[in-house]
Amino acid sequence: QEKGAAHERAYVEYLRAQGLTVVEIPVDAAPDERVSQTVAALKSGADVICQGAFAGQGWIGYADVLRKEPCPPGMRSSLGDFYYESYDTKLARETRGGTILQLALYADLLGEIQGVTPERLFVVTPGKDFIVRAYRLADYAAYFRMVRTRMLTVLEKGAEVLLKESYP
């Protein structure tokens, strides 16, 4: 866990060294406060937002890094002529399915806030100047929706029913 946190800090410092403006959302704030601070940071147009929080549809997520991107010609987000994409810092050299699902959730929740769903998801691994791998959300969106729907269906049963159904 410590190595992962150090990797994330190093990536943020790398971005800062490039002259990007960085807003850090305090991790010790209450979830609702973190979400409010994240929305304010998104609206401010900061280049980078660290530990941004999203909530909606019964979910909450904390993105390692959000990076501002210009909107393509003819497109605008609710934030203006820019939008944000999620980056997750990982020590593993290969991206796991859980990471893609995690980033897809962030993209979904982020899309609700900014009115534009990010097209890409990013995983940052260690390396000289960091290795950033991009994934197209469209390639995983159907699977993400299926997993989310199944999970919500199971959770709707309630804890008591789930304990009875899963007891050995």
Side-chain angles (χ1 to χ4, degrees):
Q1 216 173 12
E2 288 175 22
K3 286 182 181 182
H7 170 50
E8 181 181 328
R9 282 191 306 275
Y11 181 62
V12 170
E13 290 309 313
Y14 170 78
L15 296 173
R16 236 187 218 114
Q18 292 179 5
L20 300 174
T21 59
V22 176
V23 172
E24 296 191 46
I25 307 299
V27 296
D28 56 352
D32 288 347
E33 181 61 25
R34 286 181 71 180
V35 170
S36 295
Q37 289 181 26
T38 300
V39 171
L42 292 167
K43 289 178 179 178
S44 79
D47 296 319
V48 176
I49 301 167
C50 301
Q51 289 300 312
F54 306 104
Q57 306 168 8
W59 302 95
I60 189 160
Y62 303 101
D64 289 346
V65 174
L66 301 170
R67 291 195 60 180
K68 182 171 108 174
E69 293 292 331
C71 287
M75 184 180 100
R76 281 185 67 79
S77 76
S78 63
L79 305 171
D81 61 352
F82 61 91
Y83 68 103
Y84 287 87
E85 295 178 318
S86 301
Y87 288 65
D88 202 44
T89 56
K90 295 290 186 194
L91 294 174
R93 298 288 180 201
E94 292 186 21
T95 303
R96 297 186 174 113
T99 298
I100 297 295
L101 289 173
Q102 175 185 358
L103 285 165
L105 173 65
Y106 298 162
D108 193 50
L109 296 173
L110 183 56
E112 289 180 21
I113 295 169
Q114 64 189 9
V116 172
T117 301
E119 292 182 16
R120 302 172 299 174
L121 317 167
F122 298 89
V123 176
V124 181
T125 57
K128 183 173 175 10
D129 295 331
F130 299 92
I131 300 164
V132 180
R133 291 185 172 85
Y135 299 89
R136 283 179 1 109
L137 177 60
D139 293 340
Y140 304 95
Y143 179 67
F144 165 70
R145 287 190 303 270
M146 181 196 71
V147 170
R148 180 180 56 190
T149 300
R150 282 185 180 177
M151 188 170 210
L152 288 173
T153 300
V154 168
L155 292 175
E156 284 174 358
K157 293 179 179 183
E160 213 170 284
V161 171
L162 289 174
L163 283 172
K164 286 180 185 175
E165 287 181 355
S166 63
Y167 188 76

